[in-house]
Amino acid sequence: MPRQVAMRAAFVGIAANSCLLALKATASGLSDSLTIFSETLNSLSDVLSAVVILLCVRWAWMQADWNHPFGHRRAEPIAALIVSIFTAILGFEVCRSTVIHL
Ligand SMILES: [Zn+2]
């Protein structure tokens, strides 16, 4: 059951963040606002993170096989690492862009 809950949460996250991404990208294009553009990047990061989480949750719950005799449970910390790297890169880029525009 926890796997199904995690998968459902990832699907809902992808759908909701994709809608937000489309709205913010449209608003960003119309307004030429740096703030809305940074929010667009934030939503893009959320969509990518949700996709990574979905893939890694599926992978983490696979049964042990010949190549991975202890199972695939370490996929979840790998997902957390990837998502944190996405977030750090996004935060750095938004800070850099903001300082340039000052
Ligand atoms: Zn394997």
Side-chain angles (χ1 to χ4, degrees):
M1 187 58 103
R3 176 180 182 236
Q4 292 171 336
V5 171
M7 296 285 284
R8 189 173 302 138
F11 277 121
V12 170
I14 290 169
N17 286 312
S18 294
C19 291
L20 277 174
L21 175 62
L23 290 172
K24 289 177 183 178
T26 302
S28 178
L30 294 174
S31 69
D32 197 30
S33 165
L34 182 61
T35 305
I36 296 175
F37 180 68
S38 68
E39 276 298 310
T40 304
L41 291 180
N42 183 27
S43 289
L44 176 63
S45 169
D46 290 343
V47 170
L48 293 175
S49 298
V51 170
V52 168
I53 289 168
L54 177 68
L55 294 175
C56 287
V57 164
R58 286 185 67 183
W59 191 25
W61 285 84
M62 289 172 57
Q63 296 295 318
D65 55 29
W66 189 81
N67 288 331
H68 305 99
F70 298 106
H72 300 82
R73 298 294 296 180
R74 292 196 177 168
E76 290 193 28
I78 292 171
L81 179 65
I82 292 170
V83 169
S84 66
I85 290 171
F86 277 157
T87 305
I89 291 171
L90 174 68
F92 176 78
E93 286 299 321
V94 169
C95 283
R96 189 177 67 84
S97 177
T98 303
V99 168
I100 289 171
H101 282 84
L102 281 176

